[in-house]
Amino acid sequence: MNETIQTILNHRSIRKFTNQQLSKEQIQFIVKAAQQASTSSYVMAYTIIGVTDEEKKAQLATISGQSYVKENGHLFVFCADLYRIYEHTSKSTTVQKGLQSTEQFIVATIDAALAAQNASLAAESMGLGICFIGSLRNDIRKTNDILQLPEYVIPLFGLAVGYPAKNYEQKPRLPFDVIYHENGYDNDLQRQKQLIKKFDEEISSYYTTRTENKRTDTWTDQMRRKYSKLIRMDVSDFVHHKKLNKK
């Protein structure tokens, strides 16, 4: 197993960082690594915002409800961005219709996610820890206003990076055969249920034996709770307001 694969397989979210800030060189390497990610048709439909203003970080931490949004080595916010395409092309009706399509919204979202994963791997290869922060969408309009984003740009998620104050246990992932299907979707529901049942037993053991925040829980129960509660239902209208995903 090579070092790159070992870094990937060793991933865990870090939610407590030391006070040590990232250097300008580290930030540049992380962003350059992000930029080398694959991108659809060379669009590079994303922007990365580094948040260093302490007041803005505090405001974003309040939106998120997570202290590590403020307390980290550096906070990156990844945005889907088709604004530069709009501004640097003809602004014709055809261009606008294309930019407002669901297809281009997917392109921008995937581009940003690929860039962020490259950034994460670069950071972890330096011995840093990372945590993705989707909770910036708890109030996506306020996040948008704090970062002063123009039309055709939306904040997708944050990435907190820094020196781990402690290492957390690695959380188990779904079984290989649940995720990987050959030549088509595996519709053998009974087989899938058995695999999920075994995974529930594994994750239940993880929660009861980990060093912090022990609890009785399963993956299935978490998903049932999550999707029984409607959250961030304003995101769709906000995205349309920003002239994205309208067609």
Side-chain angles (χ1 to χ4, degrees):
M1 183 183 300
N2 64 44
E3 188 175 343
T4 300
I5 293 176
Q6 188 59 54
T7 299
I8 293 170
L9 295 180
N10 194 48
H11 167 73
R12 65 213 58 206
S13 294
I14 301 298
R15 294 180 171 85
K16 189 172 183 180
F17 301 94
T18 70
N19 293 327
Q20 185 175 352
Q21 298 298 294
L22 269 61
S23 67
K24 288 184 178 180
E25 184 179 46
Q26 286 174 314
I27 293 168
Q28 288 174 349
F29 276 133
I30 289 169
V31 173
K32 286 180 179 179
Q35 289 186 271
Q36 289 304 119
S38 297
T39 172
S40 178
S41 301
Y42 202 48
V43 177
M44 294 173 280
Y46 60 89
T47 288
I48 306 168
I49 297 178
V51 185
T52 57
D53 183 280
E54 291 300 323
E55 183 177 346
K56 289 189 175 186
K57 287 180 78 173
Q59 290 175 322
L60 293 172
T62 299
I63 291 169
S64 171
Q66 308 295 343
S67 61
Y68 46 85
V69 173
K70 185 176 187 297
E71 299 163 0
N72 51 62
H74 196 73
L75 177 64
F76 301 89
V77 179
F78 284 77
C79 304
D81 184 354
L82 292 170
Y83 178 70
R84 68 171 64 93
I85 305 299
Y86 173 74
E87 282 296 326
H88 294 283
T89 56
S90 64
K91 298 186 182 180
S92 69
T93 301
T94 301
V95 168
Q96 291 182 55
K97 283 184 177 179
L99 293 177
Q100 293 175 13
S101 69
T102 298
E103 167 63 16
Q104 293 310 309
F105 177 69
I106 292 173
V107 163
T109 303
I110 292 174
D111 267 15
L114 292 173
Q117 186 61 20
N118 261 27
S120 299
L121 290 174
E124 289 178 331
S125 75
M126 298 178 195
L128 300 168
I130 68 99
C131 190
F132 280 91
I133 306 164
S135 51
L136 293 185
R137 300 191 304 277
N138 285 350
D139 190 338
I140 195 168
R141 290 178 184 274
K142 190 169 182 179
T143 297
N144 173 83
D145 292 345
I146 291 168
L147 300 177
Q148 301 173 300
L149 305 180
E151 60 186 1
Y152 295 107
V153 182
I154 61 170
L156 295 173
F157 48 82
L159 183 69
V161 181
Y163 291 87
K166 63 166 294 182
N167 283 316
Y168 294 85
E169 292 94 341
Q170 190 174 48
K171 188 178 288 187
R173 294 307 201 238
L174 284 165
F176 179 89
D177 288 333
V178 171
I179 294 296
Y180 180 74
H181 304 183
E182 281 195 2
N183 300 318
Y185 199 91
D186 183 359
N187 284 302
D188 186 342
L189 189 57
Q190 286 304 115
R191 177 172 178 272
Q192 291 291 318
K193 282 185 174 181
Q194 286 300 314
L195 290 168
I196 295 295
K197 182 179 178 181
K198 288 182 180 179
F199 180 67
D200 276 340
E201 292 169 358
E202 180 184 3
I203 197 69
S204 177
S205 176
Y206 162 80
Y207 281 128
T208 57
T209 59
R210 67 182 181 177
T211 56
E212 289 186 359
N213 192 25
K214 294 181 180 182
R215 67 180 195 257
T216 301
D217 208 351
T218 66
W219 180 81
T220 299
D221 286 340
Q222 285 183 68
M223 296 305 103
R224 185 178 296 113
R225 292 194 304 272
K226 176 177 175 63
Y227 291 101
S228 295
K229 181 180 179 181
L230 299 178
I231 63 168
R232 304 173 189 162
M233 298 302 288
D234 60 324
V235 171
S236 181
D237 286 343
F238 170 79
V239 170
H240 294 163
H241 171 73
K242 298 290 290 207
K243 299 185 178 180
L244 293 171
N245 197 27
K246 295 181 70 173
K247 306 292 184 181

